[in-house]
C-alpha cells in the first residue's frame, strides 16, 4: 500500500469521525433542550420535577410552537452544516494536487473557499432570520434546509472539475434562491407588531434582493458551466471561482444593512458605538 493511498484513507477516516462527532454533539444538545423544558415547567407549577408530561392547552401549544421552531431549525442546520464542513475538509485534502503551486491548486483553493464561505453564509442567514421572525413549523421548514444542505454538499465531490462543479454550484445557489422565496411566502405583516410594520417591509425587501442576487449568481455559474462544456478554459474557470466570493459578500452586506435597519426601527443599538468601545477599553486597562 503506497503512501498516497494511506493518506487518502486517513483523511477519509478523519472526515467521517469529524462528521460523526458534530452529529452526536448537535443531537445531544437537542435532547438536552427538549428534556429541560418540561422539567422547568413542572418545577414552576409545583409538580414533581421528574414528571415530563403536561396537559396540552392553547397556551401550551403556542409556547411549544414558538420554542420548537428556532431550536429545531438551528439543530437541523447545525447537523447539516457540520456534515458539509467535514466533507469539504475531507474532499479538499483528497483533491489537493501534488504540485502545490499550480493552476490546479489555485482552482481548487478558489472552489473550496467559495464552498466554505457558502457554509458560513447559509448558517448566518438562518441565524439572523430566526432572530427576527418565527412561525408555526410545517413540513416545508424541514424539507427546505435539508434540500439546501444536500445541494451545498454535492459540489464538494467535483472539486477541480469544470462543467460538473459549475453545474452543481449553479444548482446550489439556485436552491438558495428558492429557500429565500420560501421565506418570502411565509412572511406576513401579522408577524410584526403595529409599530414594526416598517421592519416587515425592510425584511421583505432584503429577502427579494437576496433571492435576485442568488438567481444572478446561479446564471453566472451556469454560463461558466456551459463554456467549460465546449472549451477548455481553466484560467477563466479559476478566476470565476474566486469571483463567486463577491456574490457572497453582497449577500452578507445586504443582510447586515437590513438587520441594522430593523434594530434601529425598534430603537435598539445592534453594535456598541465607537466611543463606548473606547471607554470600555480604557476601563479595562485602568
Amino acid at each position: 500500500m503506497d503512501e498516497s493511498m494511506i493518506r487518502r484513507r486517513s483523511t477519509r477516516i478523519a472526515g467521517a469521525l469529524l462528521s460523526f462527532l458534530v452529529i452526536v454533539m448537535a443531537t445531544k444538545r437537542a435532547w438536552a433542550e427538549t428534556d429541560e423544558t418540561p422539567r422547568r415547567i413542572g418545577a414552576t407549577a409545583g409538580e414533581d420535577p421528574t414528571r415530563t408530561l403536561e396537559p396540552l392547552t392553547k397556551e401550551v401549544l403556542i409556547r411549544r410552537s414558538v420554542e420548537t421552531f428556532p431550536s429545531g431549525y438551528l439543530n437541523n442546520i447545525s447537523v447539516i452544516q457540520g456534515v458539509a464542513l467535514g466533507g469539504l475538509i475531507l474532499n479538499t485534502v483528497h483533491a489537493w494536487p501534488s504540485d502545490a503551486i499550480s493552476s490546479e491548486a489555485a482552482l481548487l483553493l478558489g472552489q473550496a473557499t467559495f464552498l466554505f464561505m457558502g457554509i458560513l453564509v447559509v448558517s448566518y442567514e438562518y441565524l439572523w432570520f430566526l432572530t427576527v421572525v418565527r412561525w408555526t413549523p410545517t413540513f416545508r421548514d424541514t424539507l427546505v434546509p435539508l434540500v439546501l444542505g444536500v445541494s451545498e454538499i454535492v459540489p464538494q465531490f467535483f472539486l477541480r472539475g469544470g462543467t460538473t462543479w459549475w453545474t452543481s454550484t449553479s444548482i446550489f445557489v439556485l436552491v438558495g434562491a428558492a429557500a429565500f422565496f420560501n421565506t418570502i411566502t411565509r412572511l406576513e405583516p401579522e408577524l410584526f407588531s403595529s409599530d414594526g410594520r416598517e421592519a416587515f417591509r425592510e425584511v421583505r425587501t432584503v429577502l427579494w434582493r437576496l433571492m435576485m442576487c442568488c438567481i444572478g449568481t446561479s446564471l453566472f455559474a451556469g454560463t461558466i458551466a456551459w463554456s467549460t462544456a465546449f472549451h477548455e478554459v481553466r484560467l477563466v474557470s479559476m478566476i470565476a471561482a474566486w469571483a463567486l466570493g463577491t456574490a457572497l459578500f453582497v449577500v452578507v452586506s445586504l443582510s447586515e444593512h437590513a438587520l441594522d435597519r430593523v434594530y434601529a426601527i425598534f430603537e435598539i443599538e445592534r453594535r456598541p458605538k465607537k466611543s463606548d468601545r473606547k471607554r470600555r477599553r480604557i476601563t479595562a486597562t485602568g
Side-chain angles (χ1 to χ4, degrees), residues 25-83:
M25 291 177 64
T27 305
K28 183 178 179 181
R29 176 186 172 188
W31 286 345
E33 291 180 354
T34 305
D35 182 65
E36 185 180 354
T37 301
R39 291 179 184 272
R40 290 198 305 265
I41 297 170
T44 55
E47 300 176 356
D48 183 0
T50 61
R51 186 177 180 183
T52 59
L53 299 177
E54 60 179 338
L56 181 64
T57 63
K58 179 179 179 180
E59 291 74 17
V60 171
L61 182 59
I62 293 175
R63 176 179 50 76
R64 287 179 180 175
S65 298
V66 172
E67 292 177 350
T68 300
F69 182 74
S71 61
Y73 235 82
L74 289 179
N75 283 324
N76 284 341
I77 293 299
S78 298
V79 172
I80 295 170
Q81 300 304 85
V83 173

Side-chain angles (χ1 to χ4, degrees), residues 159-194:
L159 289 170
R160 287 174 58 187
T163 305
T164 51
W165 189 85
W166 283 103
T167 301
S168 57
T169 299
S170 176
I171 294 173
F172 160 47
V173 182
L174 189 62
V175 173
F180 281 125
F181 181 73
N182 173 67
T183 304
I184 293 172
T185 60
R186 300 299 305 274
L187 195 66
E188 298 177 357
E190 290 73 18
L191 296 175
F192 298 78
S193 64
S194 56

Side-chain angles (χ1 to χ4, degrees), residues 1-263:
M1 184 180 296
D2 58 9
E3 184 179 350
S4 61
M5 185 173 295
I6 294 176
R7 189 180 69 173
R8 292 194 194 98
R9 291 190 176 182
S10 299
T11 53
R12 288 176 182 174
I13 294 173
L17 289 176
L18 177 62
S19 301
F20 177 74
L21 181 61
V22 171
I23 293 174
V24 170
M25 291 177 64
T27 305
K28 183 178 179 181
R29 176 186 172 188
W31 286 345
E33 291 180 354
T34 305
D35 182 65
E36 185 180 354
T37 301
R39 291 179 184 272
R40 290 198 305 265
I41 297 170
T44 55
E47 300 176 356
D48 183 0
T50 61
R51 186 177 180 183
T52 59
L53 299 177
E54 60 179 338
L56 181 64
T57 63
K58 179 179 179 180
E59 291 74 17
V60 171
L61 182 59
I62 293 175
R63 176 179 50 76
R64 287 179 180 175
S65 298
V66 172
E67 292 177 350
T68 300
F69 182 74
S71 61
Y73 235 82
L74 289 179
N75 283 324
N76 284 341
I77 293 299
S78 298
V79 172
I80 295 170
Q81 300 304 85
V83 173
L85 181 59
L88 178 60
I89 296 173
L90 174 65
N91 286 289
T92 301
V93 173
H94 178 70
W96 192 260
S98 56
D99 186 2
I101 305 178
S102 62
S103 60
E104 291 283 344
L107 175 61
L108 171 62
L109 192 59
Q111 292 175 339
T113 300
F114 171 78
L115 294 179
F116 175 70
M117 292 173 62
I119 293 173
L120 289 179
V121 170
V122 169
S123 301
Y124 163 74
E125 291 297 320
Y126 274 108
L127 181 61
W128 82 256
F129 190 76
L130 289 173
T131 304
V132 176
V133 295
R134 300 176 184 180
W135 53 64
T136 305
T138 64
F139 176 74
R140 280 193 299 171
D141 298 314
T142 301
L143 177 65
V144 172
L146 289 176
V147 174
L148 181 59
V150 171
S151 67
E152 75 176 347
I153 291 174
V154 170
Q156 301 174 8
F157 298 100
F158 303 111
L159 289 170
R160 287 174 58 187
T163 305
T164 51
W165 189 85
W166 283 103
T167 301
S168 57
T169 299
S170 176
I171 294 173
F172 160 47
V173 182
L174 189 62
V175 173
F180 281 125
F181 181 73
N182 173 67
T183 304
I184 293 172
T185 60
R186 300 299 305 274
L187 195 66
E188 298 177 357
E190 290 73 18
L191 296 175
F192 298 78
S193 64
S194 56
D195 298 332
R197 294 304 169 88
E198 186 179 352
F200 161 75
R201 291 189 291 271
E202 187 72 33
V203 173
R204 186 178 179 87
T205 299
V206 74
L207 286 174
W208 277 109
R209 290 175 178 173
L210 293 174
M211 187 188 73
M212 297 308 297
C213 181
C214 287
I215 292 176
T217 305
S218 178
L219 291 175
F220 172 77
T223 302
I224 301 298
W226 180 82
S227 300
T228 56
F230 298 98
H231 307 283
E232 183 63 27
V233 285
R234 185 164 297 276
L235 179 61
V236 174
S237 183
M238 179 183 64
I239 297 174
W242 284 99
L244 277 179
T246 305
L248 297 179
F249 175 78
V250 172
V251 168
V252 173
S253 298
L254 290 174
S255 301
E256 283 289 291
H257 177 73
L259 265 180
D260 289 339
R261 288 280 302 135
V262 170
Y263 275 80

